[in-house]
Amino acid sequence: MVQISKKITRRLGYVDDGSPKPLYIRFHRNTFQRDLIDLGYYVDVDTHQTVLADYDRTEGNYPPDELPRPTDDVETLREDLEVHGYCLVADALSSAELEVFRDRIDAQAKGERDAAVASYTSADATGMPTNQFLMTLVNKGQCFADAVELSERSVAKGPLLDSLLTEMLGNRFICNSAAAAIAGPNGVPQALHCGQSMIPKPWPPWPFECFCGFLIDDFDFDNGGTIVIPGSHRILTDAGTGPLESLPKTTNVAAPAGTALIMDGRLVHGTGTNRSDALRRLLILTFHKPFVRQQEQWPLSIRREVFEKASPKLLERLGFQAWHGGLGGYEGAGDGSFAPLRDGYLPIGELPARADEATSFTARDRLARGNDKTLKSLRDKDHPLARD
Ligand SMILES: [Fe+2]
């Protein structure tokens, strides 16, 4: 078993010293990807070295024809997602679209640096930040809002991506986050993790979350394209709540700019080390089933002017939709179940016993349809619910 650094142990908030364990702690701890930390897929904070030696050096780990390659053949994409846990959608962005995204990301990144609101991540061996991270992108450009919709307006292969994500996540999936990662030279690799680590294990044999990234630059071994462990989605599912024995070798995603990378939320992955001189940029959209709480909670974080011009599809995808019925999910009946708090929506409040003259609640249009008939039937039968 790998020794875990004190800092990480503290962050986990629990030390396994043989004393009686709090209820269910083992399962909650797995949402921190403790199983991957135990295998050494992180960088020691003191030495700046990967604990499991060189998991970020991947060239030669697999023959190229064993791994997914960019394609727009839907059967191949499905098979890659099932077998490897990720696929590469060729030319998801046209070259003109790629320029639009690249220019907007660069301008926004500079603007955030100049305005002293930039977020920096990762660090080199001296502790100096190497990467910039842009978050909540729906507020920062129409092309990003279009991408969240997976709309053909800005994403040439948007309909193909939308349909694959619907296969992965079911209808009415929502956007978890919309971000851009700009990786500069020599950042240490990210601790490996899974997109759906917010879901406690055991995981069922299907994803709750799905990553859809757009390569803004060519990705390769040298510039540290996203590290993945092919097939790990199945291994983590099969392991249930038990420890992981070991995992197959890592690889870096290698594909041209404009490619979309779709990853099953159970796939082990992380940012690689950029050993080139140039920036490596990635637009990162993550989506999940509609009953999971979002990382970027758009109903709280969206800018008013973006909300006001958003299309119905964008609003639904940002989570401005009610969801009812647990894992099955359906658009339910009831005040709280079909409308979110939004401009102009008037929820039912505290009512007096005689409320027939009450204010016109937004819910009434929907609920009144069957209610008059139901109440009449109840009254006809002198049902206790209908007695005044
Ligand atoms: Fe990730």
Side-chain angles (χ1 to χ4, degrees), residues 81-373:
L81 282 165
E82 269 203 295
V83 174
H84 301 288
Y86 70 102
C87 71
L88 296 164
V89 180
D91 303 315
L93 300 176
S94 69
S95 48
E97 291 165 348
L98 184 58
E99 284 305 309
V100 171
F101 280 101
R102 188 180 283 145
D103 290 350
R104 187 78 281 277
I105 287 170
D106 285 350
Q108 184 70 27
K110 182 169 185 322
E112 295 195 8
R113 291 194 299 271
D114 289 352
V117 294
S119 297
Y120 299 102
T121 60
S122 193
D124 63 17
T126 70
M128 191 177 78
T130 54
N131 299 4
Q132 188 177 350
F133 208 67
L134 308 177
M135 289 172 277
T136 324
L137 286 184
V138 172
N139 288 340
K140 299 175 181 177
Q142 185 60 44
C143 59
F144 302 131
D146 289 346
V148 166
E149 273 194 54
L150 298 168
S151 163
E152 266 179 312
R153 282 191 303 274
S154 294
V155 179
K157 296 277 169 65
L160 173 61
L161 296 169
D162 210 355
S163 116
L164 276 172
L165 285 164
T166 304
E167 289 181 37
M168 298 289 277
L169 298 171
N171 286 324
R172 300 177 68 194
F173 61 86
I174 59 174
C175 177
N176 178 51
S177 68
I182 305 170
N186 298 319
V188 296
Q190 190 179 20
L192 298 194
H193 59 281
C194 300
Q196 67 176 52
S197 57
M198 78 294 256
I199 306 289
K201 294 191 182 79
W203 290 339
W206 63 80
F208 279 63
E209 190 259 10
C210 208
F211 175 108
C212 180
F214 294 88
L215 279 56
I216 305 299
D217 295 290
D218 295 345
F219 276 32
D220 55 33
F221 297 99
D222 190 45
N223 72 3
T226 310
I227 300 169
V228 297
I229 300 185
S232 53
H233 62 310
R234 287 179 165 177
I235 298 171
L236 266 67
T237 294
D238 292 345
T241 58
L244 292 168
E245 296 299 320
S246 65
L247 287 171
K249 288 178 177 171
T250 48
T251 191
N252 288 97
V253 167
T259 304
L261 162 64
I262 301 183
M263 292 194 286
D264 185 304
R266 299 166 293 160
L267 188 79
V268 177
H269 70 276
T271 303
T273 294
N274 183 351
R275 297 187 172 88
S276 79
D277 295 332
L279 297 175
R280 189 193 74 242
R281 292 161 288 195
L282 177 65
L283 171 63
I284 302 170
L285 307 180
T286 56
F287 301 98
H288 52 50
K289 287 180 176 286
F291 51 80
V292 179
R293 189 166 168 86
Q294 295 146 295
Q295 185 176 6
E296 298 185 301
Q297 290 146 43
W298 302 103
L300 301 175
S301 61
I302 194 170
R303 283 174 66 91
R304 182 163 293 278
E305 71 271 19
V306 176
F307 170 79
E308 282 168 357
K309 68 174 185 180
S311 70
K313 183 175 180 185
L314 180 60
L315 287 177
E316 176 177 300
R317 190 144 289 170
L318 293 177
F320 287 88
Q321 57 165 295
W323 191 256
H324 186 59
L327 294 181
Y330 62 93
E331 198 175 8
D335 184 32
S337 68
F338 62 77
L341 180 61
R342 62 172 68 146
D343 289 6
Y345 177 77
L346 185 61
I348 300 169
E350 188 173 350
L351 291 177
R354 303 275 174 191
D356 30 326
E357 298 301 321
T359 319
S360 177
F361 304 112
T362 310
R364 178 172 290 158
D365 289 347
R366 287 283 298 276
L367 294 179
R369 234 176 282 151
N371 274 359
D372 290 349
K373 219 168 137 191

